[in-house]
Amino acid sequence: MVLKQITALVFAVLSVNATIAISTHRTDDPLTTIALAAPDGSIKANFIAWGATTTNLWVKDKHGSFRDILLGFDNHSLYQTQEDGHPYFAPVIGRYANRIRNGTFTIPISKNASGPGQKYQIPENAADATLHGGIVGYDARPWTTLKQSSNSVTFSLVDPDGDQGFPGTVTTEVTYTLDVKSTWKIHMHSVATEPTPIMLTNHHYFNLEAYQESQDLNSHFIQIDASRFVATNGELLPNGTLTSVEGTTLDFRKAKSLGEAINNTVCGTGCSGFDNDWVYDTPNSNKPGLSLWSTNSGIKLDVTTNQIATQVYSCNALFFPGIIPVIPRKVDQGGPDEVYENQSCVALEQQSIIDAINNPEFGVNQIYGPNRPYTWETTYTFSVLN
Ligand SMILES: *[C@@H]1O[C@H](CO)[C@@H](O)[C@H](O)[C@H]1NC(C)=O
Ligand SMILES: *[C@@H]1O[C@H](CO)[C@@H](O)[C@H](O)[C@H]1NC(C)=O
Ligand SMILES: *[C@@H]1O[C@H](CO)[C@@H](O)[C@H](O)[C@H]1NC(C)=O
Ligand SMILES: *[C@@H]1O[C@H](CO)[C@@H](O)[C@H](O)[C@H]1NC(C)=O
Ligand SMILES: *[C@@H]1O[C@H](CO)[C@@H](O)[C@H](O)[C@H]1NC(C)=O
Ligand SMILES: *[C@@H]1O[C@H](CO)[C@@H](O)[C@H](O)[C@H]1NC(C)=O
């Protein structure tokens, strides 16, 4: 099963390469660095229009020094060519994040697309599923830079009717804003010309130590306000049930070390680590739904969001020797001679419930259209442990 996933990944990489020729007709270079800083200088970040990607994020550690805590490529061409295995380093994911069972769904939705609605087929790029919006997702497209100031940038993307097999044209804007007191706000908004599934996310991989003290997650602690997670099979496809975290390794209602829990959980067949979707107990609250911190660097991240769930992925199998290349770290993270190890980072994806378009029992309406715009909002607030 893992091999099948790899084949799909390699196929995805080849297909992504095929789109590059089209994007070179653009006049503005989507790989140009856009550098922003908060008005009080407490947080800094760099972005590129390709994938509306965040390439760097600097926050202060317990010594008052800036560290770049996001994984990425120093060589921006690698975001475009995906030679380094398509790790989805910090882009916007769309039109539909995570997995769609068998790449199919109906509108109106039905269990496993077995109902009478209009059936849609999206090419698969993972085991028995479409992952992250298809072979050419929003991460692999040139967005347009609409607006820019010293602390904010807005990118937009028009996703045409029929692209990857999805119905209706979807126009999306994402605004990244750096604010005082180390605050990073992300706002996404989409409008569709026809009823269509939309589930966006941001795919940031964090290492709150910037690899300075350790290469594992033992000193990274996480707390998640969630008593349920989405039950999945060995291919990470939901079966329609939400399961209690009680008595499982996935119980993070009280903070635990991620690294110490990592060997006691599985992320599908032949994989160890976290790759799960937790359903927040108090969604859309001003209280953080999730907090992550490192006792080594002292950097703490609190996440508030209007999303009902969060996927947490502990960078399992970030590379497979001989198949997915080893990825050199950024210079700011000790590269390029050092590489990104498996399970040395964590992706925090604020989102809806996986594949709710094939599981009506979740009761989540993910079909948007002319009379139902889509909005995604998340705030990351950084601080230093006392
Ligand atoms: C960046 O990556 C591109 C694509 O692989 C490569 O052609 C180029 O030589 C690289 N640039 C540097 C400075 O390494
Ligand atoms: C998967 O999708 C194909 C194409 O629509 C369909 O023929 C097949 O029945 C589907 N398989 C399952 C298990 O739903
Ligand atoms: C949907 O797929 C799951 C997983 O293959 C299966 O267990 C379930 O029986 C299917 N449901 C229907 C209605 O086909
Ligand atoms: C889904 O999987 C979970 C965990 O394996 C299991 O407890 C639950 O009974 C399953 N639900 C269905 C409908 O098969
Ligand atoms: C988890 O497993 C790996 C590989 O077997 C091992 O190196 C590591 O020490 C284990 N971590 C813990 C906290 O036991
Ligand atoms: C990363 O994980 C994959 C899958 O578990 C494994 O095949 C590979 O050997 C790991 N790489 C390293 C350097 O541990």
Side-chain angles (χ1 to χ4, degrees):
M1 239 167 287
V2 172
L3 266 180
K4 189 171 169 196
Q5 276 167 340
I6 295 164
T7 313
L9 262 168
V10 171
F11 175 62
V13 171
L14 293 174
S15 310
V16 165
N17 281 344
T19 66
I20 306 302
I22 299 163
S23 71
T24 55
H25 293 299
R26 299 177 55 85
T27 48
D28 46 338
D29 180 359
L31 301 182
T32 300
T33 300
I34 296 171
L36 307 182
D40 63 355
S42 56
I43 180 170
K44 304 184 288 185
N46 288 351
F47 302 86
I48 54 173
W50 183 263
T53 299
T54 311
T55 60
N56 308 78
L57 177 68
W58 293 275
V59 298
K60 284 182 182 168
D61 65 14
K62 64 184 178 188
H63 309 295
S65 304
F66 279 110
R67 299 193 192 197
D68 182 356
I69 57 168
L70 276 191
L71 275 71
F73 298 116
D74 278 332
N75 181 349
H76 290 175
S77 298
L78 296 174
Y79 287 100
Q80 219 171 27
T81 63
Q82 310 275 5
E83 283 170 14
D84 269 331
H86 205 166
Y88 297 95
F89 278 159
V92 170
I93 305 286
R95 159 185 321 195
Y96 194 89
N98 214 285
R99 286 168 174 77
I100 299 173
R101 179 186 288 273
N102 194 36
T104 57
F105 60 91
T106 60
I107 298 179
I109 68 166
S110 57
K111 182 72 183 174
N112 298 356
S114 59
Q118 170 72 43
K119 189 163 185 165
Y120 295 93
Q121 180 73 41
I122 315 300
E124 294 186 11
N125 57 346
D128 292 331
T130 298
L131 179 65
H132 290 339
I135 289 166
V136 185
Y138 289 9
D139 58 289
R141 300 192 202 181
W143 294 53
T144 301
T145 308
L146 270 191
K147 277 185 283 188
Q148 195 186 330
S149 70
S150 61
N151 72 324
S152 184
V153 63
T154 300
F155 299 111
S156 71
L157 180 74
V158 178
D159 177 22
D161 180 20
D163 199 311
Q164 310 300 299
F166 288 106
T169 297
V170 174
T171 303
T172 299
E173 285 186 20
V174 55
T175 299
Y176 297 111
T177 304
L178 300 181
D179 218 332
V180 295
K181 296 185 181 163
S182 304
T183 307
W184 184 19
K185 294 179 180 156
I186 307 172
H187 182 271
M188 300 198 278
H189 184 80
S190 302
V191 288
T193 58
E194 281 178 50
T196 189
I198 300 179
M199 173 163 153
L200 304 180
T201 194
N202 258 260
H203 207 276
H204 303 122
Y205 290 100
F206 292 96
N207 178 299
L208 297 183
E209 301 175 6
Y211 293 91
Q212 288 182 23
E213 287 91 355
S214 76
Q215 322 305 323
D216 58 38
L217 294 171
N218 290 355
S219 301
H220 276 72
F221 288 75
I222 192 166
Q223 184 165 12
I224 310 174
D225 173 37
S227 52
R228 292 174 305 164
F229 67 98
V230 181
T232 53
N233 68 9
E235 292 172 334
L236 299 177
L237 296 167
N239 66 4
T241 304
L242 302 181
T243 305
S244 170
V245 298
E246 187 75 45
T248 75
T249 315
L250 300 184
D251 191 350
F252 286 102
R253 289 172 296 179
K254 292 203 175 83
K256 283 192 305 201
S257 157
L258 254 182
E260 284 172 15
I262 221 162
N263 287 353
N264 302 324
T265 191
V266 291
C267 39
T269 306
C271 176
S272 102
F274 293 99
D275 195 356
N276 303 91
D277 200 28
W278 279 262
V279 181
Y280 286 127
D281 287 343
T282 330
N284 225 342
S285 143
N286 288 329
K287 197 168 67 98
L290 185 157
S291 299
L292 176 77
W293 61 90
S294 159
T295 50
N296 283 334
S297 67
I299 294 171
K300 181 173 189 222
L301 163 59
D302 290 313
V303 181
T304 56
T305 183
N306 73 343
Q307 297 299 293
I308 59 176
T310 181
Q311 185 84 13
V312 176
Y313 171 56
S314 56
C315 299
N316 324 300
L318 207 55
F319 58 88
F320 285 81
I323 301 167
I324 300 176
V326 168
I327 304 174
R329 287 191 218 149
K330 293 191 280 190
V331 169
D332 264 10
Q333 298 180 333
D337 294 337
E338 299 288 341
V339 303
Y340 291 123
E341 300 286 354
N342 285 341
Q343 301 184 334
S344 70
C345 58
V346 56
L348 308 174
E349 302 155 59
Q350 308 311 302
Q351 60 180 40
S352 184
I353 295 183
I354 307 170
D355 201 26
I357 52 173
N358 281 309
N359 293 283
E361 55 271 61
F362 289 144
V364 180
N365 181 2
Q366 297 177 333
I367 305 296
Y368 294 84
N371 299 317
R372 188 168 186 245
Y374 172 96
T375 302
W376 185 103
E377 280 176 319
T378 295
T379 300
Y380 293 134
T381 308
F382 294 92
S383 58
V384 169
L385 297 176
N386 293 314

